[in-house]
Amino acid sequence: MPNSAAVDGFSLAYDRLGEGPAVVLLHGWPGDRTDYRRLVPLLVEQGHEVVVPDLRGFGESDKHEADPAAQYGVAGQARSVLGLIEELGLDRPVLAGYDVGSRIAQGIARSHPDLVDGLVVAPPLPGIGKRVFSEKAQAEFWYQAFHKLEVIESLVDGRPEAVRAYLEHFWTHWSGPGFVPELDHLVEVYSAPGAFTASINWYRAGAGSVATSAAETAPASYDRIGVPTVVLWPEFDPLFPRAWSDRLDDFFSDVRLRPVDGVGHYAPLEYPEILAEEIVGLG
């Protein structure tokens, strides 16, 4: 397992497999790079080079104490991913991601479109707007405000039983019917002292869907994300109902929406074959 050169003092652990057109896979919360264990072999078999990092604050990557807004939001995470792309000499990779990884992939495509061949992303996506404040939505997004409170550190951080109970809630509630999460690895890595707190710095940076959606405005047509983008929208993600896919054209100039039935939030584990199909189609 190699580690990247440090960017802003953060080194990323990553896996690199296969040969061919490059793909970079970006994981979500509460996960790490092993979220892609079912997808990577499919892409390698179809002739792709695949790079899968642990993001800042996750897995085996660095978890430094730092101002979350400066180092753990979209811009900070993107700097590390862009540094890795440059370090490995990847030529215009396809970026794929869900959850936190989706936001980072979109941020890179917006700021550095010349470095990206395309996006394959699952929610969250822009266009939610003030709908995130509906009573039904807030019943799901409560955790994002909770993650900003210091009390969560004493309740969860460094406590394996609490970590397991907390992660199990999200992995069972956000997934589709019949999905059985495998949590032993994640409980181990999230239970290390400081690891859980580092993982929620994304929310403390104001990068979660509630803060992002509340502040979003549709860009001018010339400022939309212009790289070819495929959006995969699952049927059973309680955070992101399909009705919220109605404004993608306001934020992307070359986007195709593909609904995915029978599945929930965890794209690379619940429907890896569909992800692989769309990634190969772009790359």
Side-chain angles (χ1 to χ4, degrees):
M1 183 274 303
N3 289 276
S4 72
V7 175
D8 303 332
F10 290 85
S11 179
L12 302 187
Y14 66 93
D15 296 320
R16 186 184 193 185
L17 300 97
E19 296 181 354
V23 180
V24 177
L25 305 176
L26 304 176
H27 67 79
W29 184 93
D32 67 5
R33 72 184 193 275
T34 66
D35 293 359
Y36 286 99
R37 59 188 178 271
R38 296 178 185 172
L39 176 60
V40 170
L42 301 178
L43 295 174
V44 171
E45 288 171 6
Q46 297 185 68
H48 283 266
E49 177 182 14
V50 186
V51 175
V52 196
D54 282 329
L55 298 169
R56 290 184 182 185
F58 292 88
E60 296 176 280
S61 291
D62 283 342
K63 304 172 178 65
H64 303 314
E65 290 188 15
D67 175 16
Q71 302 295 351
Y72 282 100
V74 172
Q77 295 281 7
R79 287 195 297 273
S80 281
V81 175
L82 287 165
L84 182 60
I85 290 171
E86 180 180 6
E87 178 183 345
L88 299 182
L90 305 182
D91 182 21
R92 291 178 56 81
V94 170
L95 303 184
Y98 82 103
D99 196 86
V100 169
S102 177
R103 291 284 192 198
I104 297 167
Q106 294 168 53
I108 292 172
R110 184 178 295 109
S111 63
H112 293 79
D114 56 315
L115 300 182
V116 179
D117 198 40
L119 299 181
V120 179
V121 290
L125 276 299
I128 297 172
K130 297 299 189 291
R131 291 179 288 191
V132 77
F133 293 120
S134 69
E135 182 178 355
K136 185 175 182 180
Q138 284 299 299
E140 300 293 345
F141 282 105
W142 58 268
Y143 69 97
Q144 297 196 0
F146 185 38
H147 285 177
K148 296 183 179 182
L149 302 179
E150 291 186 8
V151 66
I152 195 172
E153 297 175 30
S154 59
L155 292 174
V156 179
D157 195 278
R159 299 172 177 265
E161 291 185 5
V163 168
R164 180 177 292 277
Y166 199 64
L167 267 57
E168 186 173 19
H169 165 77
F170 296 104
W171 276 89
T172 56
H173 181 58
W174 290 353
S175 55
F179 179 77
V180 179
E182 302 168 19
L183 294 180
D184 287 351
H185 165 75
L186 291 178
V187 169
E188 181 179 356
V189 297
Y190 274 70
S191 293
F196 177 81
T197 298
S199 81
I200 61 175
N201 276 333
W202 171 261
Y203 303 99
R204 293 177 171 183
S209 289
V210 174
T212 301
S213 299
E216 75 181 11
T217 56
S221 59
Y222 59 80
D223 204 29
R224 295 170 186 161
I225 293 176
V227 305
T229 299
V230 177
V231 171
L232 302 174
W233 210 292
E235 181 179 8
F236 292 115
D237 187 338
L239 293 171
F240 302 105
R242 280 189 178 165
W244 288 2
S245 66
D246 59 345
R247 295 186 59 214
L248 293 176
D249 288 335
D250 292 340
F251 296 86
F252 298 85
S253 60
D254 183 2
V255 64
R256 175 169 59 85
L257 173 66
R258 178 174 178 177
V260 187
D261 293 336
V263 295
H265 183 74
Y266 297 100
L269 289 168
E270 295 194 68
Y271 50 100
E273 295 84 3
I274 291 175
L275 263 174
E277 177 186 332
E278 296 295 353
I279 290 168
V280 170
L282 280 182

Short mmCIF file of all heavy atoms in Angstrom, two decimals, residues 206-250:
data_model
loop_
_atom_site.label_atom_id
_atom_site.label_comp_id
_atom_site.label_asym_id
_atom_site.label_seq_id
_atom_site.Cartn_x
_atom_site.Cartn_y
_atom_site.Cartn_z
N GLY A 206 -18.25 22.45 6.80
CA GLY A 206 -19.41 23.02 6.10
C GLY A 206 -19.62 22.43 4.73
O GLY A 206 -20.24 23.06 3.85
N ALA A 207 -19.11 21.19 4.50
CA ALA A 207 -19.18 20.57 3.18
C ALA A 207 -20.33 19.58 3.04
O ALA A 207 -20.52 19.01 1.96
CB ALA A 207 -17.86 19.86 2.87
N GLY A 208 -21.09 19.35 4.10
CA GLY A 208 -22.21 18.43 4.03
C GLY A 208 -23.35 18.98 3.18
O GLY A 208 -23.40 20.16 2.83
N SER A 209 -24.31 18.11 2.88
CA SER A 209 -25.38 18.49 1.96
C SER A 209 -26.28 19.59 2.49
O SER A 209 -26.82 20.38 1.71
CB SER A 209 -26.24 17.25 1.63
OG SER A 209 -25.52 16.37 0.81
N VAL A 210 -26.48 19.66 3.81
CA VAL A 210 -27.35 20.70 4.34
C VAL A 210 -26.73 22.07 4.10
O VAL A 210 -27.35 22.97 3.51
CB VAL A 210 -27.62 20.48 5.84
CG1 VAL A 210 -28.42 21.66 6.41
CG2 VAL A 210 -28.39 19.17 6.06
N ALA A 211 -25.49 22.25 4.51
CA ALA A 211 -24.82 23.54 4.33
C ALA A 211 -24.64 23.87 2.86
O ALA A 211 -24.85 25.01 2.41
CB ALA A 211 -23.47 23.53 5.03
N THR A 212 -24.26 22.88 2.07
CA THR A 212 -24.01 23.10 0.64
C THR A 212 -25.29 23.47 -0.09
O THR A 212 -25.33 24.41 -0.89
CB THR A 212 -23.39 21.85 0.02
OG1 THR A 212 -22.17 21.54 0.69
CG2 THR A 212 -23.11 22.06 -1.45
N SER A 213 -26.36 22.72 0.17
CA SER A 213 -27.62 22.97 -0.54
C SER A 213 -28.23 24.30 -0.14
O SER A 213 -28.81 25.01 -0.98
CB SER A 213 -28.60 21.83 -0.25
OG SER A 213 -28.08 20.60 -0.70
N ALA A 214 -28.11 24.66 1.13
CA ALA A 214 -28.68 25.92 1.60
C ALA A 214 -28.05 27.12 0.91
O ALA A 214 -28.70 28.15 0.70
CB ALA A 214 -28.52 26.04 3.11
N ALA A 215 -26.78 26.98 0.55
CA ALA A 215 -26.05 28.11 -0.02
C ALA A 215 -25.98 28.09 -1.54
O ALA A 215 -25.47 29.04 -2.14
CB ALA A 215 -24.63 28.12 0.53
N GLU A 216 -26.49 27.04 -2.19
CA GLU A 216 -26.25 26.90 -3.62
C GLU A 216 -27.12 27.86 -4.45
O GLU A 216 -28.26 28.18 -4.09
CB GLU A 216 -26.51 25.47 -4.08
CG GLU A 216 -27.97 25.09 -4.17
CD GLU A 216 -28.19 23.64 -4.61
OE1 GLU A 216 -27.20 22.86 -4.63
OE2 GLU A 216 -29.33 23.30 -4.92
N THR A 217 -26.54 28.30 -5.54
CA THR A 217 -27.27 29.06 -6.57
C THR A 217 -26.85 28.49 -7.91
O THR A 217 -25.69 28.08 -8.11
CB THR A 217 -26.92 30.56 -6.52
OG1 THR A 217 -25.50 30.72 -6.65
CG2 THR A 217 -27.38 31.18 -5.20
N ALA A 218 -27.77 28.44 -8.84
CA ALA A 218 -27.46 27.90 -10.16
C ALA A 218 -26.48 28.83 -10.87
O ALA A 218 -26.66 30.04 -10.89
CB ALA A 218 -28.74 27.77 -10.98
N PRO A 219 -25.42 28.28 -11.45
CA PRO A 219 -24.43 29.11 -12.14
C PRO A 219 -24.95 29.57 -13.50
O PRO A 219 -25.93 29.03 -14.03
CB PRO A 219 -23.24 28.17 -12.30
CG PRO A 219 -23.87 26.81 -12.40
CD PRO A 219 -25.07 26.86 -11.49
N ALA A 220 -24.26 30.56 -14.05
CA ALA A 220 -24.53 30.94 -15.43
C ALA A 220 -24.23 29.76 -16.35
O ALA A 220 -23.44 28.87 -16.01
CB ALA A 220 -23.67 32.14 -15.82
N SER A 221 -24.85 29.72 -17.50
CA SER A 221 -24.71 28.57 -18.41
C SER A 221 -23.26 28.29 -18.75
O SER A 221 -22.86 27.12 -18.87
CB SER A 221 -25.52 28.80 -19.67
OG SER A 221 -25.09 29.98 -20.34
N TYR A 222 -22.45 29.33 -18.87
CA TYR A 222 -21.05 29.13 -19.24
C TYR A 222 -20.21 28.61 -18.08
O TYR A 222 -19.06 28.22 -18.26
CB TYR A 222 -20.44 30.43 -19.75
CG TYR A 222 -20.47 31.59 -18.78
CD1 TYR A 222 -19.54 31.70 -17.74
CD2 TYR A 222 -21.46 32.56 -18.87
CE1 TYR A 222 -19.59 32.74 -16.83
CE2 TYR A 222 -21.52 33.61 -17.96
CZ TYR A 222 -20.57 33.69 -16.95
OH TYR A 222 -20.64 34.74 -16.05
N ASP A 223 -20.78 28.60 -16.87
CA ASP A 223 -20.03 28.20 -15.68
C ASP A 223 -20.49 26.86 -15.12
O ASP A 223 -20.09 26.46 -14.03
CB ASP A 223 -20.15 29.29 -14.61
CG ASP A 223 -18.98 29.26 -13.63
OD1 ASP A 223 -17.89 28.84 -14.03
OD2 ASP A 223 -19.18 29.66 -12.46
N ARG A 224 -21.33 26.15 -15.85
CA ARG A 224 -21.74 24.82 -15.42
C ARG A 224 -20.60 23.82 -15.60
O ARG A 224 -19.67 24.05 -16.37
CB ARG A 224 -22.95 24.36 -16.23
CG ARG A 224 -24.20 25.21 -16.00
CD ARG A 224 -25.28 24.86 -17.00
NE ARG A 224 -26.43 25.77 -16.85
CZ ARG A 224 -27.36 25.96 -17.78
NH1 ARG A 224 -27.28 25.32 -18.94
NH2 ARG A 224 -28.36 26.80 -17.56
N ILE A 225 -20.67 22.71 -14.87
CA ILE A 225 -19.69 21.65 -15.07
C ILE A 225 -19.84 21.14 -16.49
O ILE A 225 -20.93 20.70 -16.90
CB ILE A 225 -19.88 20.53 -14.04
CG1 ILE A 225 -19.55 21.04 -12.64
CG2 ILE A 225 -19.03 19.31 -14.39
CD1 ILE A 225 -19.81 20.03 -11.54
N GLY A 226 -18.74 21.18 -17.25
CA GLY A 226 -18.83 20.90 -18.67
C GLY A 226 -18.34 19.53 -19.09
O GLY A 226 -18.58 19.11 -20.23
N VAL A 227 -17.65 18.80 -18.21
CA VAL A 227 -17.15 17.48 -18.61
C VAL A 227 -18.32 16.50 -18.69
O VAL A 227 -19.33 16.65 -17.98
CB VAL A 227 -16.08 16.97 -17.63
CG1 VAL A 227 -14.95 17.97 -17.49
CG2 VAL A 227 -16.68 16.66 -16.27
N PRO A 228 -18.23 15.51 -19.58
CA PRO A 228 -19.32 14.53 -19.66
C PRO A 228 -19.58 13.87 -18.31
O PRO A 228 -18.64 13.39 -17.66
CB PRO A 228 -18.80 13.52 -20.69
CG PRO A 228 -17.82 14.29 -21.51
CD PRO A 228 -17.17 15.26 -20.56
N THR A 229 -20.84 13.88 -17.90
CA THR A 229 -21.19 13.41 -16.56
C THR A 229 -22.36 12.44 -16.63
O THR A 229 -23.37 12.70 -17.30
CB THR A 229 -21.58 14.59 -15.66
OG1 THR A 229 -20.47 15.49 -15.53
CG2 THR A 229 -22.00 14.12 -14.27
N VAL A 230 -22.21 11.31 -15.94
CA VAL A 230 -23.30 10.36 -15.75
C VAL A 230 -23.68 10.38 -14.28
O VAL A 230 -22.82 10.22 -13.41
CB VAL A 230 -22.91 8.93 -16.17
CG1 VAL A 230 -24.06 7.96 -15.87
CG2 VAL A 230 -22.53 8.87 -17.63
N VAL A 231 -24.95 10.63 -14.01
CA VAL A 231 -25.47 10.62 -12.64
C VAL A 231 -26.30 9.36 -12.44
O VAL A 231 -27.27 9.12 -13.18
CB VAL A 231 -26.33 11.87 -12.37
CG1 VAL A 231 -27.04 11.74 -11.01
CG2 VAL A 231 -25.47 13.13 -12.41
N LEU A 232 -25.92 8.56 -11.47
CA LEU A 232 -26.65 7.35 -11.10
C LEU A 232 -27.47 7.65 -9.86
O LEU A 232 -26.91 8.03 -8.83
CB LEU A 232 -25.67 6.21 -10.84
CG LEU A 232 -24.75 5.85 -12.02
CD1 LEU A 232 -23.72 4.81 -11.59
CD2 LEU A 232 -25.55 5.35 -13.20
N TRP A 233 -28.79 7.51 -9.96
CA TRP A 233 -29.66 7.88 -8.83
C TRP A 233 -30.41 6.66 -8.34
O TRP A 233 -31.29 6.14 -9.02
CB TRP A 233 -30.65 8.97 -9.25
CG TRP A 233 -31.02 9.85 -8.08
CD1 TRP A 233 -31.74 9.48 -6.98
CD2 TRP A 233 -30.64 11.22 -7.90
NE1 TRP A 233 -31.86 10.54 -6.11
CE2 TRP A 233 -31.19 11.63 -6.66
CE3 TRP A 233 -29.92 12.14 -8.65
CZ2 TRP A 233 -31.04 12.93 -6.16
CZ3 TRP A 233 -29.78 13.43 -8.16
CH2 TRP A 233 -30.33 13.80 -6.93
N PRO A 234 -30.09 6.18 -7.13
CA PRO A 234 -30.72 4.95 -6.64
C PRO A 234 -32.17 5.18 -6.21
O PRO A 234 -32.60 6.29 -5.96
CB PRO A 234 -29.84 4.58 -5.45
CG PRO A 234 -29.26 5.87 -4.98
CD PRO A 234 -29.07 6.71 -6.21
N GLU A 235 -32.88 4.07 -6.11
CA GLU A 235 -34.30 4.12 -5.76
C GLU A 235 -34.52 4.29 -4.27
O GLU A 235 -35.47 4.97 -3.85
CB GLU A 235 -34.97 2.82 -6.22
CG GLU A 235 -36.46 2.75 -5.93
CD GLU A 235 -37.10 1.45 -6.42
OE1 GLU A 235 -36.36 0.54 -6.86
OE2 GLU A 235 -38.35 1.35 -6.35
N PHE A 236 -33.65 3.70 -3.44
CA PHE A 236 -33.94 3.60 -2.01
C PHE A 236 -32.93 4.34 -1.14
O PHE A 236 -32.59 3.88 -0.05
CB PHE A 236 -34.00 2.13 -1.58
CG PHE A 236 -35.17 1.38 -2.14
CD1 PHE A 236 -34.97 0.34 -3.03
CD2 PHE A 236 -36.47 1.72 -1.80
CE1 PHE A 236 -36.06 -0.37 -3.55
CE2 PHE A 236 -37.55 1.04 -2.32
CZ PHE A 236 -37.36 -0.02 -3.20
N ASP A 237 -32.44 5.47 -1.60
CA ASP A 237 -31.57 6.30 -0.76
C ASP A 237 -32.45 7.27 0.01
O ASP A 237 -33.03 8.20 -0.56
CB ASP A 237 -30.58 7.06 -1.64
CG ASP A 237 -29.53 7.81 -0.84
OD1 ASP A 237 -29.78 8.09 0.35
OD2 ASP A 237 -28.46 8.12 -1.39
N PRO A 238 -32.58 7.10 1.35
CA PRO A 238 -33.48 7.97 2.10
C PRO A 238 -33.03 9.42 2.17
O PRO A 238 -33.83 10.31 2.45
CB PRO A 238 -33.52 7.33 3.49
CG PRO A 238 -32.21 6.61 3.60
CD PRO A 238 -31.91 6.11 2.22
N LEU A 239 -31.74 9.66 1.93
CA LEU A 239 -31.23 11.03 1.97
C LEU A 239 -31.62 11.82 0.72
O LEU A 239 -31.84 13.03 0.79
CB LEU A 239 -29.70 11.03 2.08
CG LEU A 239 -29.10 10.51 3.37
CD1 LEU A 239 -27.59 10.37 3.22
CD2 LEU A 239 -29.43 11.43 4.54
N PHE A 240 -31.66 11.14 -0.43
CA PHE A 240 -31.78 11.84 -1.70
C PHE A 240 -32.88 11.23 -2.56
O PHE A 240 -32.63 10.37 -3.41
CB PHE A 240 -30.43 11.80 -2.44
CG PHE A 240 -29.31 12.39 -1.65
CD1 PHE A 240 -28.36 11.57 -1.04
CD2 PHE A 240 -29.20 13.76 -1.49
CE1 PHE A 240 -27.32 12.11 -0.29
CE2 PHE A 240 -28.16 14.31 -0.74
CZ PHE A 240 -27.22 13.48 -0.14
N PRO A 241 -34.14 11.65 -2.34
CA PRO A 241 -35.24 11.14 -3.16
C PRO A 241 -35.05 11.51 -4.63
O PRO A 241 -34.44 12.52 -4.96
CB PRO A 241 -36.48 11.83 -2.57
CG PRO A 241 -35.95 13.02 -1.83
CD PRO A 241 -34.59 12.65 -1.35
N ARG A 242 -35.59 10.70 -5.50
CA ARG A 242 -35.39 10.92 -6.93
C ARG A 242 -35.98 12.23 -7.42
O ARG A 242 -35.53 12.78 -8.43
CB ARG A 242 -35.99 9.76 -7.72
CG ARG A 242 -35.09 8.54 -7.74
CD ARG A 242 -35.61 7.51 -8.70
NE ARG A 242 -34.70 6.38 -8.75
CZ ARG A 242 -35.03 5.21 -9.27
NH1 ARG A 242 -36.25 5.04 -9.79
NH2 ARG A 242 -34.16 4.22 -9.31
N ALA A 243 -36.96 12.74 -6.72
CA ALA A 243 -37.52 14.04 -7.13
C ALA A 243 -36.47 15.13 -7.13
O ALA A 243 -36.61 16.15 -7.83
CB ALA A 243 -38.68 14.41 -6.20
N TRP A 244 -35.41 14.94 -6.37
CA TRP A 244 -34.34 15.94 -6.28
C TRP A 244 -33.38 15.90 -7.47
O TRP A 244 -32.42 16.65 -7.51
CB TRP A 244 -33.55 15.77 -4.99
CG TRP A 244 -34.32 16.18 -3.77
CD1 TRP A 244 -35.61 16.65 -3.70
CD2 TRP A 244 -33.85 16.16 -2.41
NE1 TRP A 244 -35.96 16.92 -2.39
CE2 TRP A 244 -34.90 16.62 -1.58
CE3 TRP A 244 -32.64 15.78 -1.83
CZ2 TRP A 244 -34.77 16.72 -0.20
CZ3 TRP A 244 -32.51 15.88 -0.46
CH2 TRP A 244 -33.57 16.35 0.35
N SER A 245 -33.64 15.05 -8.44
CA SER A 245 -32.80 14.98 -9.63
C SER A 245 -33.29 15.90 -10.74
O SER A 245 -32.78 15.88 -11.85
CB SER A 245 -32.76 13.55 -10.16
OG SER A 245 -34.04 13.15 -10.64
N ASP A 246 -34.27 16.75 -10.44
CA ASP A 246 -34.96 17.51 -11.48
C ASP A 246 -34.21 18.75 -11.96
O ASP A 246 -34.62 19.38 -12.94
CB ASP A 246 -36.35 17.93 -10.98
CG ASP A 246 -36.31 18.78 -9.71
OD1 ASP A 246 -35.25 18.82 -9.04
OD2 ASP A 246 -37.34 19.40 -9.38
N ARG A 247 -33.09 19.12 -11.32
CA ARG A 247 -32.41 20.37 -11.70
C ARG A 247 -30.96 20.14 -12.14
O ARG A 247 -30.16 21.08 -12.18
CB ARG A 247 -32.44 21.35 -10.52
CG ARG A 247 -33.84 21.83 -10.14
CD ARG A 247 -33.77 22.90 -9.07
NE ARG A 247 -32.99 24.04 -9.53
CZ ARG A 247 -32.21 24.79 -8.73
NH1 ARG A 247 -32.10 24.49 -7.44
NH2 ARG A 247 -31.54 25.81 -9.21
N LEU A 248 -30.63 18.94 -12.54
CA LEU A 248 -29.25 18.66 -12.93
C LEU A 248 -28.79 19.54 -14.09
O LEU A 248 -27.64 19.97 -14.15
CB LEU A 248 -29.11 17.18 -13.31
CG LEU A 248 -29.29 16.17 -12.17
CD1 LEU A 248 -29.23 14.76 -12.72
CD2 LEU A 248 -28.24 16.38 -11.09
N ASP A 249 -29.70 19.81 -15.03
CA ASP A 249 -29.32 20.62 -16.19
C ASP A 249 -28.97 22.06 -15.82
O ASP A 249 -28.35 22.76 -16.62
CB ASP A 249 -30.45 20.63 -17.22
CG ASP A 249 -30.58 19.29 -17.94
OD1 ASP A 249 -29.58 18.56 -18.00
OD2 ASP A 249 -31.68 18.98 -18.42
N ASP A 250 -29.36 22.49 -14.63
CA ASP A 250 -28.99 23.84 -14.19
C ASP A 250 -27.53 23.92 -13.74
O ASP A 250 -26.99 25.02 -13.59
CB ASP A 250 -29.89 24.30 -13.03
CG ASP A 250 -31.33 24.52 -13.45
OD1 ASP A 250 -31.56 24.69 -14.66
OD2 ASP A 250 -32.20 24.51 -12.57
#
